[in-house]
Amino acid sequence: MSEKKPLPVNEYRYIKHNIGNGKPTILAFGMSHCYSCLAMSKVFAEVLEVHPEFQIYSIDGQKERLVSRDIYKLKEMPTQIFFDASGKEIFRHTGAYKKAVLEIILKKYGFDF
């Protein structure tokens, strides 16, 4: 069995226009040297294998400090921010969780799972 790969890291400036484009969106902030961030990124990558239509983006919170600190006021990593289809923030979670918990959260916040 092959090792699961994490999500590719995106630059915020290239994906911010997708927030509020009619689809729910998740921004997953983390850091490359953080074990929990990497684990969470792999869980999101698994979800995208089954649901490539989901908008889930990995953002390096350390490289994108102005975004993570000043725009989203993050203090800890990993943090996931969920937006509804109109771009309104509807949920925020700090820390990692298992895929089963993520599936419940996705259903609750409008991702057709």
Side-chain angles (χ1 to χ4, degrees):
M1 190 166 154
S2 66
E3 174 70 18
K4 292 289 180 194
K5 298 212 182 295
L7 287 176
V9 175
N10 295 273
E11 287 186 44
Y12 182 74
R13 64 185 171 150
Y14 295 127
I15 56 92
K16 67 181 179 179
H17 66 277
N18 290 333
I19 301 169
N21 69 354
K23 293 181 180 180
T25 304
I26 301 171
L27 298 183
F29 287 89
M31 295 183 292
S32 60
H33 61 278
C34 165
Y35 177 79
S36 295
C37 301
L38 185 60
M40 197 67 242
S41 182
K42 289 178 180 181
V43 170
F44 280 124
E46 282 185 54
V47 169
L48 282 177
E49 284 179 8
V50 179
H51 294 282
E53 72 277 11
F54 287 179
Q55 294 186 151
I56 305 174
Y57 303 104
S58 176
I59 308 288
D60 187 316
Q62 190 170 15
K63 289 181 181 173
E64 302 255 13
R65 277 191 303 276
L66 294 178
V67 174
S68 62
R69 183 190 64 207
D70 298 346
I71 295 175
Y72 293 108
K73 311 295 186 210
L74 303 184
K75 296 182 191 287
E76 299 175 290
M77 303 286 166
T79 296
Q80 308 84 41
I81 303 175
F82 294 70
F83 300 88
D84 67 12
S86 69
K88 178 183 173 204
E89 184 179 327
I90 53 173
F91 180 68
R92 181 181 286 222
H93 177 268
T94 299
Y97 39 75
K98 302 280 186 200
K99 187 176 176 190
V101 174
L102 176 61
E103 290 173 358
I104 293 167
I105 293 168
L106 290 171
K107 286 178 189 175
K108 181 176 181 177
Y109 292 105
F111 288 80
D112 296 323
F113 208 82

